Amino acid sequence: MEPLGWGQIFAQVVAQFLPVWVALLILFALSIRFKRRLALYGKLFDSVMGMCGFFLVMFWLFTALFAQGVELGGATLIPSIATFDPLAQIAAMKNKVPGTFIPDSETTAYLLGGDNLGRDVFSRMVVGAQKVMSIAPAATAFAFMVGVTLGLPAGYFGGRFDTILSFVANLVLAFPVILLFYLLVTPEIRKAGTEIPIWLGNTWTTSIPNILAAVLFLFPVAFFVILWNSRFHTQPGKRTLLIVLTVLLGLWGYSGLAFNADPLGLFGMSPNLLNVFVSVVFVNSPTVFRIVRGITLDIQTRDYVAAAQTRGEGPWYIMLWEILPNARGPLIVDFCLRIGYTTILLGTLGFFGLGVSPESPDWGSTINDGRKLLSIYPHPALPPAIALMSLVLGLNLLADGLREESLKD
Amino acid sequence: MGLFLLKRLGVMALTAMVLTFVVFFLTNLQPNLEKVAKFQGNQRMTDAEVVSWIEKNGYGGPVVLRYAEWLGVYPGWRRVEEDGRIRGKCVKPGMEPEDIPRFCGLLQGDLGYSIVAKDEVVDIIGKRLAASGVLMFWVMIVMVPMALLVGVLAGMREGSRTDRSLSTFAIVTTATPEYISGVVLVVVFASSVVGLKWFKGSAASAVNDGVTFDNFTLPVLTMALYGMGYIARMTRASMAEVMTAQYIRTARLKGVSFRQIVLKHALRNALIAPFTVIMLQFPWLLTGVVIVETLFNYKGFGWVLVLSAGNNDIDMLIACSMAAVVVVLLTQLISDIGYVYLNPRIRIS
């Protein structure tokens, strides 16, 4: 059987993404229709660059959501984008060019060819989007929680607290990222430490990633508790309700994510993933800390802060409800850029084979696998490379669009 | 100024010490030492043998003391074997027992022994750093003028078509990390698929045979492309800001030609901010060096780092991190001092 031509391959790939196109169409139609009522998000649709960026980002987000289809009660709601199991190997398909039909079939082909183990390049790329999209935004959000919770008081109070934290932040930033990853993301480091029994018969190893997780994952809970307390401490009923809810939810997630011992079994991360996740958060938070600290130093001198101080508001109220909302512009822009940077970092980790299982379809390791036979078979390495690039490009354009639109005010 | 420098150097020394200790601690975790033992001895050692190997080869005892040994402020370990030979940290082959120094560490200029390369770390790291220096030099030569040109051209007429297209180009390059642009460049310019076999896809020959257009273009281009986008965007922002300044308007009203305004009035002030950015690119070039050297098989600093990290070559790894940290801190210092010299409005108090 002759392989498919490039035109047919292109048509089939586009058709395979049908659920994504439909979702994008609905999203864009609704957003443009109501853009005047949607504040900054709506304004994004006034800038072509911002819209292009948003399109690329949402494209990969929807791809990640629908990669393996959506099923509800046995019925397929949305068909899967991936055409094959990303881990399944067909020996006859090793390094086959794009559009080659699988043996004994005249209808199904490896759309973008097979890799050196005979796996479908297209499906691996699509499922790889899931890996990136599930880690990068979450890790960035955690880094922001840590950076904001520490950066605000460092900038606001200054003094010795600031000196020490800034020193530590600079310390982490002086490390070349790669070296830090080589030291922090290893199977050995996950083994180092003693096992101690915790609740429900689970055990917890006192290894460095686990300790880091236990510390870093506390920040979101602390952040929201302080946030509610500073705002509603004059309304004890509301405050207590919010704080109890936050603590309950927070500790539930915390027990699962940091200790892998969620009593309900909903939250949890494999030690591998936890190691990567924690390292990425750890590397990103000092930069966020420095940005937040800088903005706080700047905003602190404004009149509305002085007004709040004269009113007798507490320092945390001023930091979280006066300074933080006014710093949102640069922070949102940096958030977008940082997701892109985290995506690149995750790719780098995959590229060096750190913290990922050897079969993993994430883009970095697929590129690394593909580059060994690059000069003969370039097709396994190019699709994940283009995918990663377009996602990061989308995030950069989105950040630029947001920056431009927020400056227009 | 003198006091400022002294203070900065003090902070730098403290930072370097803390960082090297962190690396020392991480590489000396028990499972890592077991890995070293199995690498050095044999793979099928029992747990008891591993423990005794670690003890016998100077890896036992508290980490702080061994870090002091590495620094050279605590006597190196020494042990007399059953056959009367003396082994120890400071013992080099062919040394008489009375010649063995008491201290041998960083302060004595001894960085230890690489278990992978089977050689003194000082010798290897110097050679590899020099090789990476050559790479970095060429990257800078290509990247900085290109980035400044793009930034200035884009920033001198904000919002024009030149600005739009150059800015997009800059964004695209920042969105393409080295491991992607490298792969794409190799496919296009070095593989048999496209057929343009202009350059080599490997820079391995550059270490011994010298740098040629053939083996160095692709690695240099890969790194320069990723780095230039950021500098170009900073230059553009700074140029655009300067172009709206009052003195530029005055010059324009006086009837000075646009060309003269850009070259004589705007450029000097617009290049202050990018200078800092360029200096701060160095740490981040180090990461790029690791990726590019792995990708193009160039035996420099990054290549050694990957090799020693993979085998937990403790002495080598610490030396690498120390070199990296010193480079980072020095560039930070230079960028601070240079900024003050370039911008007379800022004076250190």
Side-chain angles (χ1 to χ4, degrees):
Chain A
M1 198 70 198
E2 279 290 296
L4 293 168
W6 285 109
Q8 282 168 300
I9 292 174
F10 182 74
Q12 285 207 19
V13 167
V14 171
Q16 211 55 43
F17 278 110
L18 185 70
V20 176
W21 303 129
V22 174
L24 278 172
L25 199 69
I26 297 172
L27 178 73
F28 269 73
L30 285 178
S31 305
I32 293 176
R33 173 76 184 71
F34 297 110
K35 70 177 173 185
R36 290 288 157 251
R37 285 193 235 157
L38 291 169
L40 184 62
Y41 170 75
K43 275 197 212 138
L44 192 64
F45 292 87
D46 289 337
S47 119
V48 181
M49 278 247 249
M51 233 159 50
C52 288
F54 187 63
F55 176 85
L56 284 172
V57 174
M58 291 318 284
F59 175 84
W60 287 112
L61 184 66
F62 286 132
T63 305
L65 283 177
F66 307 144
Q68 289 170 317
V70 177
E71 284 185 20
L72 197 71
T76 311
L77 277 187
I78 298 167
S80 153
I81 299 176
T83 41
F84 290 89
D85 176 1
L87 301 181
Q89 306 177 359
I90 301 178
M93 298 300 288
K94 274 182 195 167
N95 295 322
K96 281 290 183 296
V97 292
T100 310
F101 288 97
I102 59 170
D104 309 323
S105 165
E106 295 184 357
T107 46
T108 39
Y110 271 13
L111 287 174
L112 298 178
D115 66 4
N116 60 343
L117 291 175
R119 293 168 298 192
D120 182 28
V121 172
F122 175 73
S123 305
R124 285 177 74 75
M125 177 192 76
V126 168
V127 178
Q130 266 182 342
K131 301 265 165 199
V132 172
M133 279 302 190
S134 58
I135 305 178
T140 314
F142 269 95
F144 260 77
M145 289 287 170
V146 178
V148 167
T149 319
L150 294 176
L152 282 173
Y156 189 78
F157 295 121
R160 192 160 295 162
F161 179 69
D162 179 30
T163 317
I164 294 171
L165 276 183
S166 294
F167 180 73
V168 174
N170 288 338
L171 212 62
V172 179
L173 289 175
F175 247 118
V177 180
I178 289 275
L179 181 66
L180 202 62
F181 279 146
Y182 258 116
L183 295 171
L184 274 182
V185 188
T186 58
E188 282 80 23
I189 204 169
R190 292 195 284 274
K191 277 188 281 176
T194 45
E195 275 194 22
I196 43 175
I198 47 172
W199 59 89
L200 294 173
N202 290 302
T203 54
W204 187 69
T205 318
T206 55
S207 66
I208 290 164
N210 282 349
I211 295 170
L212 268 181
V215 175
L216 291 177
F217 290 172
L218 263 187
F219 278 93
V221 187
F223 175 80
F224 281 107
V225 168
I226 301 172
L227 187 77
W228 302 134
N229 184 46
S230 62
R231 182 76 171 81
F232 298 113
H233 65 100
T234 45
Q235 298 153 264
K238 200 170 177 184
R239 173 192 65 176
T240 316
L241 179 71
L242 279 169
I243 287 183
V244 166
L245 273 178
T246 310
V247 168
L248 276 180
L249 269 175
L251 288 186
W252 177 27
Y254 184 68
S255 65
L257 295 176
F259 293 95
N260 209 2
D262 178 6
L264 301 178
L266 185 62
F267 293 106
M269 264 197 259
S270 70
N272 236 340
L273 186 61
L274 183 77
N275 197 175
V276 170
F277 193 88
V278 167
S279 309
V280 170
V281 174
F282 182 68
V283 166
N284 270 318
S285 15
T287 328
V288 181
F289 164 82
R290 289 228 294 211
I291 294 172
V292 174
R293 178 179 166 273
I295 298 176
T296 310
L297 281 175
D298 177 35
I299 293 185
Q300 203 183 14
T301 54
R302 303 284 167 87
D303 287 342
Y304 51 80
V305 174
Q309 281 165 341
T310 331
R311 272 203 319 267
E313 303 284 5
W316 282 102
Y317 177 85
I318 296 174
M319 279 184 248
L320 290 171
W321 294 95
E322 300 280 351
I323 295 178
L324 191 59
N326 286 297
R328 69 181 184 279
L331 288 186
I332 292 173
V333 171
D334 187 69
F335 188 72
C336 290
L337 288 176
R338 200 148 292 285
I339 297 178
Y341 178 64
T342 310
T343 309
I344 291 181
L345 269 189
L346 289 172
T348 315
L349 279 173
F351 183 77
F352 285 108
L354 296 169
V356 288
S357 54
E359 290 249 286
S360 164
D362 75 288
W363 293 338
S365 25
T366 335
I367 295 171
N368 188 33
D369 284 345
R371 80 182 169 90
K372 285 158 199 155
L373 290 171
L374 201 57
S375 48
I376 323 165
Y377 306 111
H379 63 267
L382 283 182
I386 292 166
L388 198 149
M389 202 195 115
S390 62
L391 174 61
V392 179
L393 179 66
L395 286 161
N396 274 292
L397 289 175
L398 180 64
D400 253 38
L402 284 172
R403 187 186 352 238
E404 254 176 46
E405 293 303 320
S406 69
L407 281 180
K408 275 185 189 164
D409 288 341
Chain B
M1 190 73 191
L3 194 68
F4 165 78
L5 264 181
L6 215 65
K7 229 170 153 183
R8 282 297 300 259
L9 286 175
V11 174
M12 266 175 66
L14 186 64
T15 311
M17 251 188 79
V18 175
L19 285 182
T20 44
F21 180 73
V22 169
V23 178
F24 196 89
F25 177 77
L26 287 174
T27 45
N28 278 282
L29 288 172
Q30 198 59 29
N32 277 333
L33 291 180
E34 283 166 19
K35 199 171 151 192
V36 172
K38 286 186 175 162
F39 181 83
Q40 287 279 76
N42 72 67
Q43 285 296 329
R44 284 189 293 280
M45 278 202 274
T46 61
D47 288 352
E49 282 171 331
V50 168
V51 171
S52 87
W53 188 93
I54 290 174
E55 203 54 51
K56 268 189 193 153
N57 285 277
Y59 291 113
V63 179
V64 181
L65 281 189
R66 272 182 299 131
Y67 179 69
E69 270 180 36
W70 179 83
L71 271 182
V73 294
Y74 188 79
W77 65 276
R78 193 178 294 201
R79 174 187 303 278
V80 181
E81 294 289 301
E82 283 139 6
D83 55 358
R85 281 184 308 132
I86 301 175
R87 293 177 57 237
K89 180 171 162 52
C90 307
V91 183
K92 304 269 178 289
M95 247 182 195
E96 293 300 317
E98 55 270 22
D99 291 343
I100 299 171
R102 250 169 74 73
F103 300 99
C104 53
L106 179 65
L107 294 177
Q108 287 76 31
D110 187 344
L111 288 173
Y113 187 78
S114 161
I115 56 170
V116 176
K118 308 247 180 276
D119 203 353
E120 290 296 313
V121 170
V122 184
D123 300 340
I124 306 170
I125 197 119
K127 229 186 290 169
R128 298 301 176 212
L129 270 176
S132 285
V134 173
L135 180 62
M136 282 227 202
F137 171 77
W138 284 107
V139 170
M140 281 293 176
I141 292 274
V142 173
M143 177 172 80
V144 173
M146 214 159 78
L148 292 182
L149 191 69
V150 168
V152 167
L153 283 180
M156 69 186 188
R157 283 205 185 93
E158 209 186 347
S160 66
R161 189 171 295 168
T162 332
D163 177 25
R164 289 268 167 224
S165 43
L166 285 179
S167 297
T168 312
F169 171 68
I171 294 182
V172 172
T173 59
T174 41
T176 318
E178 288 97 343
Y179 51 91
I180 289 183
S181 50
V183 163
V184 173
L185 285 174
V186 168
V187 169
V188 175
F189 292 115
S191 76
S192 49
V193 185
V194 180
L196 298 173
K197 286 190 159 179
W198 291 355
F199 309 110
K200 274 192 213 160
S202 145
S205 60
V207 179
N208 296 323
D209 309 347
V211 174
T212 63
F213 206 61
D214 220 25
N215 57 26
F216 235 48
T217 310
L218 290 186
V220 167
L221 209 59
T222 305
M223 277 182 75
L225 272 181
Y226 185 40
M228 69 156 279
Y230 188 62
I231 303 178
R233 288 172 78 179
M234 289 294 158
T235 316
R236 177 189 169 274
S238 148
M239 186 73 189
E241 198 189 317
V242 169
M243 287 305 279
T244 58
Q246 292 291 326
Y247 68 91
I248 298 288
R249 205 180 60 168
T250 314
R252 198 174 282 179
L253 290 177
K254 267 189 342 196
V256 181
S257 71
F258 188 72
R259 198 189 151 81
Q260 285 292 313
I261 289 178
V262 171
L263 290 178
K264 280 220 165 131
H265 299 256
L267 211 53
R268 271 187 66 180
N269 283 322
L271 290 184
I272 296 173
F275 170 77
T276 328
V277 177
I278 292 168
M279 290 317 288
L280 293 179
Q281 288 285 297
F282 269 102
W284 173 88
L285 267 183
L286 279 178
T287 306
V289 159
V290 179
I291 296 174
V292 166
E293 285 180 2
T294 312
L295 199 59
F296 290 95
N297 201 14
Y298 180 70
K299 288 181 181 153
F301 173 75
W303 188 82
V304 164
L305 201 156
V306 170
L307 191 70
S308 48
N311 296 303
N312 202 42
D313 189 349
I314 296 177
D315 286 342
M316 197 71 220
L317 208 50
I318 299 170
C320 281
S321 59
M322 202 185 62
V325 166
V326 167
V327 169
V328 171
L329 295 176
L330 271 182
T331 49
Q332 277 176 4
L333 185 70
I334 295 174
S335 88
D336 281 2
I337 296 172
Y339 193 63
V340 175
Y341 272 106
L342 284 176
N343 192 349
R345 278 173 296 187
I346 293 185
R347 282 278 172 263
I348 304 155
S349 49

